[in-house]
Amino acid sequence: MNAKNLFNDNPARRRIYIEKDGVKVGLTEVGLSPTRKSDGTLTPNAPVKIYDVCGAWADADFHCDPSIGLPKIRQAWIENRAEVEVCGKLEPSAKVPFATRKIYKAKAGKRPTQLYYARRGIITPEMRYVALRENIARLNAESFSADFPRADLRFQHAGNSFGASIPLEITPEFVRDEIARGRAIIPANINHSELEPAIIGRNFLVKINTNIGNSALASSIPEEIEKMLWSIKWGSDTLMDLSTGSDIFETRENILRNCPTPVGTVPLYQALEKVGGMVEKLDWQVYKETLIEQAEQGVDYFTIHAGVLQRFLKPASRRMVGIVSRGGAIMAKWCMINGAENFLYTHWDEICEIAAAYDVAFSIGDGLRPGACADANDEAQFGELKVQGELLKRAWEYDVQVMCEGPGHVPMHLIKQNMQNQLDWCSEAPFYTLGPIATDIAPGYDHITSAIGAANIAWYGTAMLCYVTPKEHLGLPEKEDVREGVVTYKLAAHAADLAKGHPASQYRDNALSKARVEFRWDDQFNLSLDPEKARSFFEKRTSKVHSGEFCSMCGPKFCSMRLNRELRQFGDGGERKEL
Amino acid sequence: MNAKNLFNDNPARRRIYIEKDGVKVGLTEVGLSPTRKSDGTLTPNAPVKIYDVCGAWADADFHCDPSIGLPKIRQAWIENRAEVEVCGKLEPSAKVPFATRKIYKAKAGKRPTQLYYARRGIITPEMRYVALRENIARLNAESFSADFPRADLRFQHAGNSFGASIPLEITPEFVRDEIARGRAIIPANINHSELEPAIIGRNFLVKINTNIGNSALASSIPEEIEKMLWSIKWGSDTLMDLSTGSDIFETRENILRNCPTPVGTVPLYQALEKVGGMVEKLDWQVYKETLIEQAEQGVDYFTIHAGVLQRFLKPASRRMVGIVSRGGAIMAKWCMINGAENFLYTHWDEICEIAAAYDVAFSIGDGLRPGACADANDEAQFGELKVQGELLKRAWEYDVQVMCEGPGHVPMHLIKQNMQNQLDWCSEAPFYTLGPIATDIAPGYDHITSAIGAANIAWYGTAMLCYVTPKEHLGLPEKEDVREGVVTYKLAAHAADLAKGHPASQYRDNALSKARVEFRWDDQFNLSLDPEKARSFFEKRTSKVHSGEFCSMCGPKFCSMRLNRELRQFGDGGERKEL
């Protein structure tokens, strides 16, 4: 793999930086060609700014060497914190070739979390960073005025956000207040200094997550790094490393040192590996060691299936499909073997203390999410959701940032109830859903069945969507599956942003549509979520003809796109009217 | 192409027939393997019946020769009609090798349409056919009882159909009444005797359409037949032939004689070809000749852009993208050149008379559908929709069956208004939409951006969805694009059926999910929309291991699916509770 070629492959898309309030945020700027008027004159088109998650990998002068890792942009911020101290260091080794790394931890009794600072009215550099970052689409519209002139690219339909409160401009103060309120999180472990902070919450842009990870059956460290790079290339906002194979520690260290986005894990998976895969040998001690090991590496959020309680097992046993969450199934089995309550639940306070010491956020797992449409919205699922709501309040007492995981398989008409219950029972903490898959009958196309559910639930208020690939239910995703899954989820998230009415989110749609009608094919491709695929489809079809001056659907004789030039001259230039 | 191999490739999926009320309806029956209990005993699983559109092509003993064509299953029905007479015949020729074919037409002053018969209380064989056909999924549940026991495959969530009235059992009387009311249509030209009738309406299963057709740039008659076969293999309910290249008549004749589903066209395309592609030469005479030519061939529905009126051109000129419907653009240009009203509008009564004489249904075109999210729900679009509502009432006076076409590009939160306006302004006539595409920024993935909109609008009440392929906006679809588009739209339509609560529509989901949890991999594949793709993904991944007894996502050590066997024994067998 040549990471340089992976990211610097399109001269029209450049990584640039904007600076404000002492932070410097990277973004993609898409350069556009001018509009050619019918009289032959050229009018320039302003470049379009796009939210970008590639980090230094997309910088023209970056070393692009995964054995060195990313620059530690947060190191000074972290070291400036009075609540933080160095508790150890990690020396290089054969499979972990990076320079010696200091390990940070809270001083005794301290909690250096974003929630801790926010509650005390403190604006952290991470908060300033995400505020600037969330405004990138808005920067295209130049001003934050609500009444964009309708005739140009700034026109946007008023949204319907189902009660979300999305401001015209995102300020650091707004970020702080949303975090203090528990309505948004910035997963940012103090040991992940390579991180470009991102915010997850209902009043911010909808985010997506990619799952990668080796398994007992396949994959190596370089392959996992490649999958990580591939996922950020296509725009994934966070990454979950679900490795269960060999070299779990080393794999994760290599990912964290190279990953500019938040990284999540399910610590239970590694704990189970440590006891040879035997659920009966799992206990609090091995789990606790795993939490600390991962927190010291810089994992930004932990999925913890603490809501799978004994009383839900009988309702789950009545289902069509039972339990499909791997973490949920492990804890269910543990409860059955031991005849005891879920040890993640009984040790919740200690888990909170560990997380607070490194600012690891929680993603409270939905171990009882439905695995078939038949099982949607049942007693087991909603019972666990209520427990998630209790657990998160207890985590907030420890200043730990929290989001809640959600389904799963849910037919369209039952999706909204999931969002409403989560808002009601979980105090508006960010919701993070897997799909949901809207019908069970399309294995091989589950990225699509789930994108339908995902776009809807994100519109209703879900803050982050966990991607699903075409291989869901059938096998582990490979590179092309990751691309297909990420792009599918990016489009679902954006469709939700549009529907919610995120200020200026329609700008990119408008710019692309204008490029389309003006036959600026390269601009259309470069503004799209997957320029390479769009271009390859187009080039394949037009190889037989010589001009790009007609729509390839119609052919050269009569093209409706060309008609629109004549139509525009026919028109009176009046203002459009929305009904 | 070997059509035999195309359809008879899976011994677990057989075409069978059910007979009732003198009609014989084909369907797919999926044979399942038995469930193996933990004590080793086997319990058989009943085969699952699936709605099927393949016609005789999927019969084991069919000749599968496209130069002979399908059996004329409707010929006796049509010849029995007192209102019909033979008006000519078509002799074989080099490119049209079929046996001499009689051409039917209404006797003078008669209107042998399904709407004519329905209004007079007459139940046609076509109505009995679609009634039986629409019940196929319900047959899986054995009885039409509303209270299926919850524990088995008959369990289904109550739907939310936004005011649709879907009965537990579809009777011929219900079909007749829905047609008489104008709320459903059976597009069934009396010259398409090879047709297996299908019904399109809000109270029936959601249907999907595939567009094929040659262009000036590409394709031949055998290629178009192959695309047609490919589209029915994957389950497309109707087919539009949008040919604009050479041999339009011959291509269409070959499609109609071999196509078991309704076939639609945009007659304007051929009329424009007849005048050398010069819009200024288009007139009523050439259009009328085209209508008659196509009606005599057996085209089941015509898309007619009669609602593109002069007064909408100025509003359309103010749009981001203007007019993107090819038919709409042609008529807009015609109006601009001639400074006259759309001749399809001014000749509407004569068009209705022609359609009534052959029972060609109308699909009133949405020539002003938005081609960008920015243009959604504007003055031009909704102005035309109101005109569609006027035109359809006039068509009903001639006993012509009608549906209305809809958008296009619409962000999610503006979709429902489209459906509501159509219901209000178009007297509940079936709505037939293209997508809508929910964001403009994903060329190359527009089958997905549009499936999101399509699933939503179908849930709200759209009766038929026109598919979109990954090549939309970029090029003409090839075989694999057709497959991807059809399967994507089948899943969107099914997701909508589930959400609306079509009786027994969840049965197939349940059967597939049960197969999944029981590791009956072949059953899971055979029950899916695309068994070949699901199987190929699975085989690729498990080639490295020897057992199918674990989920390929987890690997052999701990599998959540296997846990569920233990969970079931742990449970008390009580009834599940929905919240």
Side-chain angles (χ1 to χ4, degrees), chain A residues 157 323 373 440 445 509 530 564, chain B residues 157 323 373 439 445 530 564:
Chain A
H157 298 283
I323 300 177
C373 283
D440 305 337
Y445 297 80
D509 296 72
D530 187 345
N564 286 303
Chain B
H157 298 283
I323 300 177
C373 282
T439 165
Y445 298 81
D530 187 344
N564 287 301

Side-chain angles (χ1 to χ4, degrees), chain A residues 471 473-475, chain B residues 521 525 533-543 547-552:
Chain A
K471 291 273 170 66
H473 300 114
L474 301 170
Chain B
W521 291 99
F525 306 146
K533 182 171 280 188
R535 183 172 284 114
S536 75
F537 282 179
F538 178 74
E539 283 173 355
K540 196 167 173 199
R541 289 311 298 167
T542 51
S543 58
S547 162
E549 282 288 297
F550 51 85
C551 164
S552 51

Side-chain angles (χ1 to χ4, degrees), chain B residues 113-124 126-131 170-186 199 204 401:
Chain B
T113 73
Q114 299 293 324
L115 179 54
Y116 169 88
Y117 296 118
R119 283 172 160 177
R120 277 148 197 85
I122 297 166
I123 292 175
T124 63
E126 286 84 355
M127 296 175 200
R128 294 198 305 273
Y129 190 99
V130 300
I170 303 291
T171 62
E173 291 74 19
F174 179 76
V175 169
R176 178 197 59 200
D177 294 348
E178 287 289 294
I179 290 173
R181 169 73 182 72
R183 201 149 56 188
I185 66 171
I186 300 178
I199 191 160
F204 301 92
Q401 304 184 89

Side-chain angles (χ1 to χ4, degrees), chain A residues 446-485:
Chain A
D446 276 333
H447 59 310
I448 305 177
T449 59
S450 66
I452 291 170
N456 275 300
I457 204 164
W459 173 23
Y460 303 150
T462 286
M464 185 156 78
L465 303 169
C466 182
Y467 91 156
V468 170
T469 78
K471 291 273 170 66
E472 183 76 17
H473 300 114
L474 301 170
L476 290 170
E478 291 162 288
K479 253 181 80 173
E480 277 303 317
D481 303 311
V482 171
R483 172 187 186 171
E484 192 81 8

Side-chain angles (χ1 to χ4, degrees), chain A residues 157-158 317-318 323 373-374 379 413 439-441 445 456 474 509 513 529-530 552 564 571-572 574 576-577, chain B residues 157-158 317-318 323 373-374 379 413 439-441 445 456 474 494 509 513 529-530 552 564 571-572 574 576-577:
Chain A
H157 298 283
S317 76
R318 295 169 198 140
I323 300 177
C373 283
E379 195 181 351
H413 64 304
T439 165
D440 305 337
I441 68 168
Y445 297 80
N456 275 300
L474 301 170
D509 296 72
S513 291
L529 289 174
D530 187 345
S552 52
N564 286 303
D572 55 6
R576 78 186 278 283
K577 208 157 85 193
Chain B
H157 298 283
S317 75
R318 293 168 200 144
I323 300 177
C373 282
E379 194 181 353
H413 64 304
T439 165
D440 305 337
I441 68 168
Y445 298 81
N456 275 302
L474 301 170
H494 185 72
D509 295 73
S513 291
L529 289 174
D530 187 344
S552 51
N564 287 301
D572 56 5
R576 79 186 277 283
K577 208 157 85 194

Side-chain angles (χ1 to χ4, degrees), chain B residues 12-315:
Chain B
R13 291 174 72 126
R14 288 189 315 135
R15 171 124 167 144
I16 64 164
Y17 287 87
I18 44 172
E19 277 194 75
K20 196 180 170 188
D21 301 331
V23 292
K24 207 175 99 175
V25 172
L27 57 97
T28 297
E29 192 176 71
V30 182
L32 301 180
S33 53
T35 295
R36 182 181 297 271
K37 300 241 160 146
S38 44
D39 63 4
T41 57
L42 299 176
T43 315
N45 286 295
V48 175
K49 295 176 178 63
I50 298 177
Y51 190 106
D52 171 302
V53 298
C54 295
W57 291 102
D59 290 346
D61 57 355
F62 184 54
H63 58 67
C64 285
D65 180 350
S67 72
I68 299 174
L70 287 170
K72 296 181 181 300
I73 61 169
R74 290 178 65 223
Q75 187 155 14
W77 306 348
I78 294 158
E79 293 192 339
N80 273 341
R81 279 172 191 153
E83 297 80 5
V84 172
E85 66 183 9
V86 175
C87 72
K89 55 187 178 175
L90 184 73
E91 301 290 352
S93 63
K95 288 179 176 167
V96 178
F98 312 101
T100 302
R101 175 172 70 80
K102 284 186 277 188
I103 298 168
Y104 302 104
K105 192 186 170 183
K107 289 177 183 163
K110 301 292 180 186
R111 297 168 183 163
T113 73
Q114 299 293 324
L115 179 54
Y116 169 88
Y117 296 118
R119 283 172 160 177
R120 277 148 197 85
I122 297 166
I123 292 175
T124 63
E126 286 84 355
M127 296 175 200
R128 294 198 305 273
Y129 190 99
V130 300
L132 187 53
R133 197 174 197 189
E134 289 281 321
N135 286 324
I136 287 169
R138 292 156 163 98
L139 293 178
N140 288 314
E142 289 160 31
S143 83
F144 295 110
S145 157
D147 30 38
F148 300 135
R150 308 207 124 192
D152 75 359
L153 298 185
R154 286 176 289 181
F155 167 72
Q156 177 168 316
H157 298 283
N160 171 10
S161 68
F162 295 100
S165 307
I166 306 164
L168 276 176
E169 180 178 359
I170 303 291
T171 62
E173 291 74 19
F174 179 76
V175 169
R176 178 197 59 200
D177 294 348
E178 287 289 294
I179 290 173
R181 169 73 182 72
R183 201 149 56 188
I185 66 171
I186 300 178
N189 185 321
I190 54 175
N191 287 306
H192 190 196
S193 52
E194 300 84 356
L195 174 75
E196 296 190 334
I199 191 160
I200 299 165
R202 184 173 162 226
N203 292 324
F204 301 92
L205 294 164
V206 175
K207 304 300 187 296
I208 72 158
N209 172 69
T210 298
N211 291 334
I212 62 165
N214 69 16
S215 78
L217 302 179
S219 197
S220 66
I221 292 175
E223 281 175 85
E224 292 309 312
I225 293 177
E226 190 173 359
K227 281 190 217 158
M228 179 275 286
L229 292 175
W230 196 243
S231 85
I232 60 172
K233 174 184 169 74
W234 299 113
S236 181
D237 297 285
T238 78
L239 184 85
M240 290 197 77
D241 171 20
L242 305 181
S243 291
T244 57
S246 51
D247 299 329
I248 294 186
F249 177 90
E250 292 79 5
T251 301
R252 197 166 49 232
E253 188 71 21
N254 276 274
I255 288 173
L256 278 159
R257 301 292 74 82
N258 285 297
C259 186
T261 74
V263 173
T265 61
V266 184
L268 189 62
Y269 292 180
Q270 188 184 6
L272 185 63
E273 292 303 316
K274 287 184 178 180
V275 295
M278 285 174 286
V279 174
E280 56 274 26
K281 292 200 174 169
L282 268 179
D283 62 16
W284 165 239
Q285 199 53 43
V286 69
Y287 187 81
K288 178 182 169 184
E289 284 162 16
T290 307
L291 287 185
I292 294 169
E293 173 187 329
Q294 297 197 5
E296 288 186 350
Q297 286 190 287
V299 170
D300 300 292
Y301 63 92
F302 289 153
T303 290
I304 302 185
H305 299 90
V308 179
L309 302 189
Q310 286 183 292
R311 64 176 187 267
F312 302 136
L313 299 186
K314 284 202 197 309

